[in-house]
Amino acid sequence: MVSAESIRAGFGGRFGGEPSVVVRAPGRVNLIGEHTDYCGLPVLPIAIDRATFIAAAPTADGILRATSAAFPAQAEIARSAPRHQSEPWHQYLSGALHELAAVAPGRGANLFIDGDLPAGGGLSSSSALTVGVISALAAAWGSPLEPVEAARLATTAERHAGAETGGMDQQAIALGRAGNALRIEFLPPAVRYVPLPEGLAFVVAYSGQDAPKGGSVRDAYNERVVGTRIAALMLADMLGVELEGTPLLGNVAGIDAASVMVVELPDQMAPRNAANAVEANVERVIQFATSHFDSARKVPVKRYAQHVLSEAERVDAAEVALAAGDLKTFGRLLNESHDSLRNDCRCSTPALDKVAAAMRKSGAFGARLTGAGFGGYAVAACPPAKVQAVVEAAVAATGGPAFEVTASDGLSFA
């Protein structure tokens, strides 16, 4: 059992002495609203009762030394040159240092990291690490952050690691509240808590396929970001709407005709061709935090837009269903979300389809992949009396692990 006490003991075993701060950063499960956050459209996640813990103590040498109980290769990163880390988990540390460059210049830190939050995609282990590290370092250096600011910095830090994330994971981790989901809005930013009704339990189950944010999964994720940007640019042109900055579907989703006109979008298009067609600067479509997308590469447009616009409507309907305690409707919306993620967004896998189907058949109200997809975890909503049956069915389908999660408080100091 990982606890604040075991983290303190682990820190002492690696570095000697006591840490000055211990942070708990929970994982998150997105109930519904997948691939909508980077489009500026709402999401409905929960923080969960599994977490990453970070113990930290400041040093005076300008070096971040971090060791993890879950991953090999201790990190040793100079604050003066934090970029270009070869180990994937070190890249998140590097991003955190980049965002904290102005905080206590010249100071370093020792970090020990442990927890019971599984890696592998879907439960936001990388975002928990990033939010937790940023919070721990800022506090250790005498400049503690409000949770909302830690979430903001962590979102940008993860983009330095190469994934153009939308900000859902970091806010859910920082701002979670026990017994509640969070409806997170992005245009304009807002959060409200959605109480979870009695008679509703959640099970998460691993598909058997990792879905890390690096490599091919990152490229597939970024392709969907670009496809939805093209869709937003073209819909805005059809509707006679001027968009400034990065084109987001959230800028046009509220216009009644948008959901009708989406069928007129091209099946595929290259960013530079889309930009030329509407006389826009292609950089608005392909520019990421630390890289560019290939402007000549054709990407799906219509299907991605169809998923995002319909998913945003399902978020609204899911919130209404939860408020009414209508768990059958809530489960149906989860199933519809999974179908859209499989058929339009095309980020499900046969293993995710299999485990979601197994959990439905064993008594869940509904089940869907959670997270970006391409592997990782699925989530099922079920009656409490069916939790064990759902867990057993999931393990039988893919080998597990599968376990119940509950809505938890967010970022805290232990």
Side-chain angles (χ1 to χ4, degrees), residues 37-63:
D37 61 340
Y38 57 73
C39 297
L41 287 164
V43 293
L44 195 67
I46 59 172
I48 63 172
D49 53 335
R50 295 198 177 210
T52 296
F53 289 82
I54 300 98
T59 64
D61 60 2
I63 304 292

Side-chain angles (χ1 to χ4, degrees), residues 315-326:
V315 172
D316 292 341
E319 183 179 3
V320 170
L322 289 173
D326 186 353

Side-chain angles (χ1 to χ4, degrees), residues 50 75 115 124 150 180 183 224 231 242 250 297 332 334 381 395:
R50 295 198 177 210
S124 242
N180 288 262
R183 181 184 171 112
R224 283 147 184 81
E242 290 289 333
R297 175 178 162 185
R332 174 179 57 78
L334 299 191
V395 172

Side-chain angles (χ1 to χ4, degrees), residues 158-172:
E158 287 196 55
R159 290 174 182 163
H160 289 298
E164 201 70 9
T165 61
M168 169 184 66
D169 297 353
Q170 299 81 4
Q171 289 190 65

